[in-house]
């Protein structure tokens, strides 16, 4: 940007005579610059005085304002901190900065951000200069043991936190500055000995900045935002401050720290302090309880200032009054508090960027965000002109007509037009913000409360003991007055939602279990109140999947995902999902935090898949693919994190690294809501005998322990739950073999030792995580094992023997068992895998494998259709069953809602129709498999086949 004043507007002189006097102080000006000086001096007594006092400096500053400001800053920073003239010099610098910034603002040469940025930059500079001067005096007296002049650049352990508008880079023209002074106890051998000197230094700094003299003042300084200011000194130890915020910090303090920024002293230590406060400011879950806290603050401001009733422009407070600047700032900040814990992109200090980002992230309609930004800019301009008139720390419009006329002249606007514009903007801001903070306020267009019978009467109609409702008041979630108040407002809609269930009494009892399991209520009930659609979702879940309601009581944070805007959007695809998890993990500081973040993220997506299935947005087979895609994304995200953490102790993986291979249903890309993961880890040390790290390990031990670390990361029960149970029994030699297998050993085993069932399992093997080159090599090897094909008779004989062993060990299965038993899915999967292995096609899955069997001539088309349709029916039954419960499906025990879901997903009209179809399908499938094996299996085993090893096609 060029360093010059390009004027786009001009003030008018309210008092032309005073304007002419101001212009006479700066001879040689003409055109717009002359009009700027005359209009400014003729409307602002304060700026007229500055023009007269700084006329010589102003002549050059008008030519190159940025250079002039930079030179002034350098002059002040070069001052000796013990120079007694520091106070006067700072006040001179403030006058010059205030004058050139005002002229650039009034002339439209600088946008709002450049104006407020220049004001803030000077405040930072002045705070730093004053702090150095105050500390230098204490050093000279020997009151800071262990510190010397070289420590002045890092504040001798002190840091000044800029808060509010100064922290955000948004200082107004006559703003005071809000600072919190903190000191690092670790910088001192005895912090208690240094503490009095630090307190004196902070007081002297504040005096240098805020004391008014005949030369003016620098900045009025407010130190009261520190922890518990009524009982704490003006500077506080960082450790004590952290304890305060962790135990006693209030919502308004969380909002204040959104804008906090270290501005002077030990900046690096100040930033580390802010990083440590991140969990206090940014809650993990959507924090709708903050809305009521914010509204309480707004009402308290109105009560203390008497700002009630209709809008009246004379004397109206542009900051705290109806529709004012604070309303917009609160609106942005509390939206940030609600969602910023989940979305780091919202953690912005400045108001305008925050509003824009809230719109981009989907938390605000773009038109509302744009409108508030426009009003905010306009409000700030008015605020600045009000303050420029007499350098008053005020935000109130003039109380009389003459004052408003002077304001309009300074703004270069028609008075009547200004009045109309102000009224329109203030009312528009009030309407937008009031709808957010006080949606329950009666008014036109407000939704009416849901009409329901008396709760006790409703309980009787539902057939539920009225004691169910009575005992709610004793649950932990309703222990506080605030939680009971919010729940009281929610209860009518909650009960109405439960009453719509197929069996209201079952839904109410499920909700009772949900409510009983909640450890607290304010946050969740506030979430429901702000998002009424969640109440209907809870009603659906309680009426259909009671076990999911119990899960929600322990993991209510997953409901945050429903509010994100795209909860009901189509599945994004596995690649997009993996990329999203990667972004989530990037924002976490350490290994454990990343694992916890992965657990939270996985629970939300797992819940989303279940809700999509529950509401019929996806079919059972789609749910199976999505559960598998989610598991793959988790493995792709977690495996590098496990390796990086392990490498910090034992060095990078020896050789070419290791891959994670999915087997079974995971390998096939089909899981249910409660599936575990069948995994194998294959590594290639490439001849490297050990790792190279602080604690090196032999390659074999390294990969074994690395694999155990992966299993722990996935399956260990932690505060955020576990990710998945892991089954590694499909590795070579099962539980007797090493948990990680070298590529060489794996090749040898598969080529010379593996059983037929292990080669059948390879038809569903798939590498899901690990180095690309090694992944491709492993998959190419598996393809080479399967590609030659197999002798049909020998393979089917082995399938027949496996089938007999499974039946002998596990029996025929329960009536609604979908996996194990004659004609059930495990048998159909074995036959389909045999189709792929015999044909030498490694890509085959159930439908493909059955079609290959027909193509090879050992299965009839009607047999294929029977097995495929049976598999689909059992898969649908099983997917619903696992969504509803972790037990074997019992239609009599799953409730009316669960039975309706089961019938919907199987296409049956009644439970009896479904039972008959299930029995007929499994019996017919079992008979068909028996017939196929009896007809096609080779009963004469050769020498190699006698031990169950695979026979090769010759």
């Amino acid at each position: 940007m060029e360093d010059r004043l390009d004027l786009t507007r001009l003030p008018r002189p309210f008092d032309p005579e005073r304007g002419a006097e101001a212009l006479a102080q700066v001879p040689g000006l003409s055109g717009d610059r002359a009009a700027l000086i005359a209009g400014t001096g003729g409307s602002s007594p304060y700026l007229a005085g500055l023009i007269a006092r700084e006329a010589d400096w102003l002549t050059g500053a008008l030519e190159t304002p940025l250079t002039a400001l930079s030179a002034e800053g350098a002059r002040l920073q070069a001052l000796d901190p013990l120079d007694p003239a520091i106070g006067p010099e700072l006040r001179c610098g403030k006058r010059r900065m205030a004058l050139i910034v005002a002229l650039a603002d009034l002339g439209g040469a600088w946008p709002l951000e450049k104006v407020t940025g220049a004001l803030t930059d000077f405040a930072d500079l002045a705070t730093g200069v004053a702090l150095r001067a105050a500390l230098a005096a204490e050093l000279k007296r020997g009151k800071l043991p262990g510190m010397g002049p070289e420590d002045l650049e890092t504040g001798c352990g002190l840091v000044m936190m800029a808060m509010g508008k100064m922290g955000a880079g948004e200082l107004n023209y006559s703003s005071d500055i809000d600072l919190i002074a903190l000191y690092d106890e670790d910088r001192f051998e005895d912090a208690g000995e240094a503490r009095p000197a630090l307190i004196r230094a902070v007081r002297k700094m504040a005096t240098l900045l805020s004391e008014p003299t005949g030369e003016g003042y620098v900045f009025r300084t407010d130190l009261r935002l520190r922890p518990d200011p009524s009982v704490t000194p003006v500077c506080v130890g960082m450790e004590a401050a952290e304890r305060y915020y962790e135990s006693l910090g209030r919502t308004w303090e969380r909002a204040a720290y959104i804008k906090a920024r270290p501005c002077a002293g030990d900046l690096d230590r100040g930033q580390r302090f802010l990083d440590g406060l991140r969990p206090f400011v940014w809650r993990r879950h959507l924090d709708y309880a903050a809305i009521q806290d914010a509204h309480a603050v707004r009402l308290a401001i109105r009560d203390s200032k008497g700002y009630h009733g209709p809008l009246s422009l004379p004397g109206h407070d542009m900051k705290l009054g109806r529709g004012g600047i604070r309303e917009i700032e609160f609106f942005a900040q509390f939206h940030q508090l609600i969602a910023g814990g989940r979305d780091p992109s919202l953690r912005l200090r400045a108001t305008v960027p925050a509003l824009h980002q809230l719109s981009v992230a989907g938390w605000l309609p773009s038109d509302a965000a744009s409108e508030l930004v426009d009003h905010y800019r306009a409000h700030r301009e008015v605020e600045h002109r009000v303050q420029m008139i007499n350098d008053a720390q005020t935000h109130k419009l003039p109380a009389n007509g003459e004052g408003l006329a002077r304001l309009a002249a300074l703004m270069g606007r028609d008075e009547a037009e200004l009045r109309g514009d102000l009224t329109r903007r203030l009312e528009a801001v009030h309407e937008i913000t009031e709808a957010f903070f006080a949606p329950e306020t009666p008014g036109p267009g407000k939704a009416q409360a849901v009409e329901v019978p008396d709760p006790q009467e409703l309980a009787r109609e539902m057939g539920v003991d009225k004691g169910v409702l009575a005992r709610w008041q004793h649950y932990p979630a309703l222990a506080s007055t605030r939680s009971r108040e919010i729940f009281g407002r929610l209860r009518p809609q909650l009960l109405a939602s439960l009453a719509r269930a197929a069996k209201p009494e079952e839904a109410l009892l499920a909700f009772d279990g949900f409510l009983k399991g909640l450890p607290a209520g304010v946050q969740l009930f506030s979430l429901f109140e702000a998002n009424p659609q969640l109440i209907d979702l809870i009603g659906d879940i309680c009426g259909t999947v009671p076990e999911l309601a119990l899960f929600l009581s322990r993991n209510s944070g997953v409901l945050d995902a429903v509010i994100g805007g795209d909860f009901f959007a189509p599945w994004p695809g596995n690649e997009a999902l993996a990329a999203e998890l990667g972004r989530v993990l990037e924002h976490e500081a350490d290994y454990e935090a990343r694992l916890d973040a992965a657990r939270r993220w996985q629970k939300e997506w797992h819940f989303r898949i279940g809700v999509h299935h529950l509401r019929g947005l996806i079919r059972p087979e789609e749910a199976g693919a999505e559960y598998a895609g989610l598991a793959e994304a988790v493995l792709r995200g977690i495996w590098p994190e496990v390796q990086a953490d392990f490498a910090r102790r034992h060095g990078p993986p020896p050789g070419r690294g290791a891959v994670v291979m999915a087997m079974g249903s995971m390998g096939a890309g089909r899981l249910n809501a409660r599936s575990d993961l069948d995994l194998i880890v294959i590594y290639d040390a490439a001849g490297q005998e050990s790792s190279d790290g602080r604690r090196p390990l032999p390659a074999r031990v390294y990969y074994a322990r690395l694999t155990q670390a992966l299993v722990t990361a996935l399956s260990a029960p932690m505060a955020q739950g576990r990710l998945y149970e892991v089954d590694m029994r499909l590795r070579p030699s099962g539980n007797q073999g090493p948990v990680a297998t070298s590529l060489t050993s794996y090749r040898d085993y598969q080529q010379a030792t593996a059983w037929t069932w292990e080669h059948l399992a390879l038809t569903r093997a798939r590498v899901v995580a690990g180095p690309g080159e090694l992944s491709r090599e492993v998959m190419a090897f598996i393809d080479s094992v399967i590609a030659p094909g197999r002798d049909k008779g020998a393979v089917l004989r082995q399938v027949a023997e496996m089938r007999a062993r499974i039946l002998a060990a596990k029996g025929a299965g329960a009536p609604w068992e979908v996996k194990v038993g004659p004609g059930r899915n495990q048998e159909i999967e074995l036959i389909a895998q045999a189709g792929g292995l015999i044909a030498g096609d490694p890509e085959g899955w159930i439908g493909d494998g059955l079609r290959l069997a027909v193509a090879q001539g050992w299965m009839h088309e009607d047999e294929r259709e029977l097995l495929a349709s049976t598999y689909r029916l059992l898969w649908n039954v099983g997917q619903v069953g696992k969504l509803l419960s972790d037990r074997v499906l019992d239609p009599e025990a799953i409730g009316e809602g669960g039975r309706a879901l089961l019938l919907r997903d199987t296409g049956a009209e009644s439970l009896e129709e479904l039972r008959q179809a299930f029995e007929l399908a499994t019996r017919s499938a079992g008979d068909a498999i028996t017939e196929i094996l009896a007809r096609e299996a080779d009963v004469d085993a050769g020498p190699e086949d006698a031990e169950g090893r695979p026979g090769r096609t010759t």
Side-chain angles (χ1 to χ4, degrees):
M1 180 181 294
E2 293 188 22
D3 186 9
R4 65 184 186 188
L5 290 182
D6 290 326
L7 304 179
T8 61
R9 62 191 176 199
L10 292 169
R12 298 191 316 274
F14 177 74
D15 183 339
E17 185 176 336
R18 293 292 299 273
E21 292 174 0
L23 181 58
Q25 300 292 327
V26 193
L29 296 182
S30 61
D32 284 350
R33 288 190 181 180
L36 173 64
I37 297 299
T40 300
S43 295
S44 166
Y46 168 66
L47 291 175
L50 292 188
I51 291 169
R53 188 158 190 170
E54 299 294 340
D56 292 341
W57 179 83
L58 180 59
T59 300
L62 285 172
E63 297 298 326
T64 54
L66 294 176
T67 299
L69 280 179
S70 178
E72 192 64 16
R75 182 182 70 82
L76 294 173
Q77 286 182 316
L79 292 171
D80 184 336
L82 293 173
D83 188 338
I86 276 188
E89 293 297 343
L90 281 173
R91 289 187 279 275
C92 174
K94 169 64 182 300
R95 291 194 303 271
R96 292 173 174 179
M97 181 276 300
L99 176 57
I100 195 65
V101 169
L103 293 173
D105 189 2
L106 291 170
W110 290 357
L112 174 66
E113 286 77 10
K114 192 168 181 180
V115 170
T116 58
L119 292 165
T120 304
D121 289 345
F122 187 82
D124 286 357
L125 182 149
T127 302
V129 170
L131 180 62
R132 283 198 302 274
L135 289 169
E138 296 298 325
L139 281 174
K140 184 178 180 181
R141 296 173 58 207
K143 298 299 184 179
L144 291 171
M147 296 288 174
E150 68 278 3
D151 293 300
L152 286 176
E153 288 306 310
T154 56
C156 296
L158 264 175
V159 61
M160 306 308 300
M161 288 290 180
M163 308 295 288
K165 285 185 168 63
M166 183 177 176
E170 298 175 330
L171 276 185
N172 58 52
Y173 189 74
S174 295
S175 180
D176 60 0
I177 57 175
D178 294 306
L179 299 172
I180 293 179
L182 301 169
Y183 65 90
D184 182 2
E185 298 95 332
D186 294 337
R187 288 281 296 273
F188 304 93
E189 289 187 10
D190 185 353
E193 183 181 358
R195 187 165 173 250
L198 297 174
I199 292 172
R200 284 194 301 271
V202 172
R203 285 175 175 163
K204 183 175 180 181
M205 176 205 72
T207 299
L208 270 173
L209 292 173
S210 57
E211 184 178 30
T213 71
E215 299 167 325
Y217 66 97
V218 188
F219 288 101
R220 289 173 287 263
T221 304
D222 191 337
L223 300 171
R224 292 173 297 173
L225 288 184
R226 66 186 184 273
D228 209 353
S230 62
V231 298
T232 56
V234 291
C235 67
V236 181
M238 289 185 179
E239 185 178 338
E242 287 173 353
R243 288 198 303 270
Y244 168 83
Y245 291 122
E246 288 171 1
S247 58
L248 300 172
R250 291 158 289 182
T251 300
W252 72 262
E253 289 170 307
R254 293 176 54 213
Y257 267 95
I258 291 177
K259 297 180 181 293
R261 174 179 58 84
C263 68
D266 193 342
L267 301 182
D268 289 342
R269 183 63 183 90
Q271 186 56 53
R272 292 199 301 275
F273 174 80
L274 289 182
D275 292 342
L277 280 192
R278 195 175 296 143
F280 163 68
V281 179
W282 306 109
R283 300 289 168 83
R284 289 290 186 186
H285 301 299
L286 296 179
D287 189 10
Y288 279 92
I291 298 175
Q292 187 171 345
D293 293 333
H295 188 46
V297 172
R298 294 169 73 240
L299 293 179
I301 292 172
R302 292 178 186 178
D303 290 341
S304 67
K305 302 289 185 180
Y307 293 157
H308 294 286
L311 174 66
S312 175
L313 282 186
H316 184 77
D317 194 322
M318 291 298 298
K319 177 181 178 182
L320 300 178
R322 179 187 182 101
I325 295 166
R326 181 57 55 83
E327 302 278 75
I328 301 173
E329 292 172 338
F330 268 26
F331 184 84
Q333 283 178 276
F334 281 89
H335 271 90
Q336 289 175 278
L337 280 185
I338 288 168
R342 288 173 52 86
D343 186 351
S345 73
L346 301 179
R347 300 173 190 177
L348 302 171
R349 293 187 178 100
T351 302
V352 169
L355 288 168
H356 280 312
Q357 187 57 35
L358 285 164
S359 173
V360 169
W363 291 97
L364 287 182
S366 59
D367 56 346
S370 298
E371 185 176 354
L372 285 176
V373 166
D374 181 56
H375 295 322
Y376 178 77
R377 292 182 184 280
H379 280 12
R380 292 300 305 270
E381 284 196 3
V382 173
E383 175 192 45
H384 283 184
R385 275 85 182 135
V386 167
Q387 294 174 343
M388 286 175 187
I389 292 174
N390 286 307
D391 188 31
Q393 189 187 10
T394 182
H395 308 275
K396 292 184 178 181
L397 295 173
N400 54 51
E402 179 181 326
L404 281 171
R406 180 185 291 272
L407 175 64
L410 187 59
M411 297 185 71
R413 297 178 66 177
D414 175 75
E415 181 184 348
E417 184 268 335
L418 176 61
R419 286 174 177 270
D421 188 54
L422 281 171
T423 301
R424 177 183 65 81
R425 291 183 181 279
L426 290 166
E427 292 290 11
V429 169
H430 177 75
E431 182 177 348
I432 294 172
T433 57
E434 196 74 6
F436 171 67
F437 287 112
E440 74 280 1
T441 303
K446 296 288 184 183
Q448 298 300 310
V450 178
E451 293 294 334
V452 297
D454 174 82
Q456 300 298 338
E457 180 63 31
L458 183 61
R460 284 192 292 273
E461 290 180 7
M462 289 178 167
V464 177
D465 185 342
K466 63 181 181 180
V468 172
L469 301 187
R471 68 191 181 214
W472 287 357
Q473 62 183 312
H474 303 297
Y475 289 165
L478 293 165
S480 72
T481 301
R482 185 171 174 187
S483 66
R484 289 193 296 272
E485 289 174 351
I486 302 171
F487 187 76
R489 297 193 294 268
L490 294 174
R491 192 165 70 166
Q493 188 176 349
L494 278 165
L495 292 176
S497 178
L498 297 172
R500 290 193 292 271
K503 286 285 187 178
E505 68 276 14
E506 294 177 358
L508 185 62
L509 290 174
F511 181 76
D512 177 65
F514 165 76
L515 194 62
K516 183 177 181 181
L518 288 175
V522 170
Q523 290 286 347
L524 185 63
F525 298 158
S526 298
L527 181 70
F528 285 172
E529 190 169 40
N531 302 274
Q533 71 271 27
L534 288 181
I535 296 175
D536 291 335
L537 179 59
I538 289 292
D540 283 352
I541 291 171
C542 290
T544 309
V545 194
E547 285 202 16
L548 188 53
L550 291 176
F551 167 82
L552 283 178
S553 70
R554 297 187 296 271
N555 300 275
S556 58
V558 300
L559 290 169
D560 292 354
V562 183
I563 314 304
D566 59 353
F567 182 82
F568 292 104
W571 182 251
N574 295 0
E575 290 299 323
L577 206 62
E580 180 182 311
L581 177 56
R583 290 191 294 271
V584 169
L585 299 181
E586 283 176 2
H587 293 290
E588 301 299 331
D590 55 48
Y591 178 61
E592 291 300 330
R594 292 187 188 102
L595 292 187
D596 275 346
R599 293 179 184 115
R600 287 190 299 272
W601 180 86
Q602 187 267 357
K603 281 194 297 189
E604 290 179 0
W605 275 96
H606 199 273
F607 175 68
R608 168 178 165 153
I609 296 168
V611 170
H612 279 220
H613 182 193
L614 170 67
R615 291 209 158 172
L617 300 177
I618 55 175
R619 300 184 302 277
E621 60 269 27
E622 292 176 300
E626 291 183 9
Y627 284 127
L630 175 60
E632 180 177 336
V634 168
L635 287 168
R636 288 171 61 179
I638 288 296
W639 183 226
E641 299 296 339
V642 172
Q643 292 180 89
D645 181 69
F646 197 78
R648 276 189 280 273
R649 296 183 297 278
H650 304 294
R656 301 168 65 204
V659 299
V660 180
M661 187 160 68
M663 306 293 290
S665 297
M666 176 61 193
R670 296 292 186 274
L671 297 179
N672 63 51
R674 301 172 195 269
S675 290
D676 58 11
L677 305 183
D678 293 309
L679 303 176
I680 296 175
V681 173
I682 300 173
Y683 68 89
D684 183 8
Q688 189 173 331
E689 294 185 357
S690 67
S691 63
D692 182 14
R694 289 188 295 110
R695 293 157 55 190
L697 294 171
R700 186 179 182 206
V701 176
Y702 183 101
Y703 283 109
R705 292 188 185 176
L706 177 62
T707 301
Q708 290 165 345
L710 173 65
V711 173
T712 298
L714 292 171
S715 61
M718 305 299 286
Q720 297 294 335
R722 75 175 83 221
L723 287 164
Y724 296 98
E725 293 284 0
V726 177
D727 188 341
M728 304 198 75
R729 291 174 296 176
L730 290 181
R731 67 185 187 270
S733 302
N735 285 338
Q736 277 66 51
V739 292
T741 306
S742 72
L743 180 57
T744 300
S745 297
Y746 189 76
R747 281 175 174 149
D748 292 344
Y749 181 84
Q750 293 293 345
Q751 289 172 336
T753 312
W755 299 75
T756 297
W757 71 263
E758 291 175 292
H759 282 185
L760 289 170
L762 288 184
T763 62
R764 298 200 285 178
R766 181 168 57 96
V767 172
V768 293
E773 183 180 349
L774 184 58
S775 299
R776 290 186 290 273
E777 187 171 333
V778 170
M779 289 308 301
F781 168 71
I782 290 172
D783 291 352
S784 72
V785 172
I786 298 172
R790 299 291 187 276
D791 178 74
K792 171 196 66 175
V795 171
L796 293 178
R797 179 183 62 78
Q798 292 296 324
V799 170
E801 291 180 359
M802 280 185 277
R803 185 187 189 215
R805 287 197 296 271
I806 293 171
L807 183 60
K810 306 227 174 152
W816 291 92
E817 170 64 56
V818 299
K819 181 177 180 181
V820 178
R824 299 327 207 273
N825 278 354
Q826 188 179 59
E827 290 196 350
I828 300 173
E829 288 171 0
L830 281 173
I831 288 293
Q833 291 168 43
L837 185 61
I838 292 166
D841 186 339
E843 300 296 328
W845 171 225
I846 299 302
D848 298 319
L850 296 177
R851 279 189 288 273
L852 289 169
V854 173
Q856 292 286 304
W858 56 269
M859 182 183 293
H860 302 151
E861 177 59 25
D862 59 338
E863 293 170 332
R864 184 200 67 78
E865 292 177 357
L866 170 63
L867 295 183
S869 63
T870 300
Y871 191 87
R872 283 194 297 273
L873 173 63
L874 269 59
W875 175 265
N876 291 351
V877 170
Q879 192 68 277
V880 172
K882 291 302 182 183
L883 178 64
L884 298 175
S885 171
D886 61 354
R887 296 176 291 274
V888 174
L889 180 66
D890 179 1
E892 299 302 324
I894 60 176
E896 190 64 33
R899 288 190 285 273
L901 176 62
L902 185 63
L903 295 178
R904 184 200 73 191
D905 279 358
T906 57
E909 294 294 330
S910 66
L911 198 60
E912 178 58 25
E913 178 186 322
L914 177 59
R915 183 189 63 77
Q916 292 179 10
F918 188 96
E919 292 177 354
L920 177 62
T922 53
R923 184 173 60 252
S924 300
D927 290 344
I929 293 171
T930 300
E931 167 63 24
I932 292 169
L933 295 175
R935 181 178 72 229
E936 305 292 345
D938 185 356
V939 296
D940 298 320
E944 183 183 46
D945 295 329
E947 296 181 1
R949 308 300 182 192
R952 298 287 192 265
T953 300
T954 57

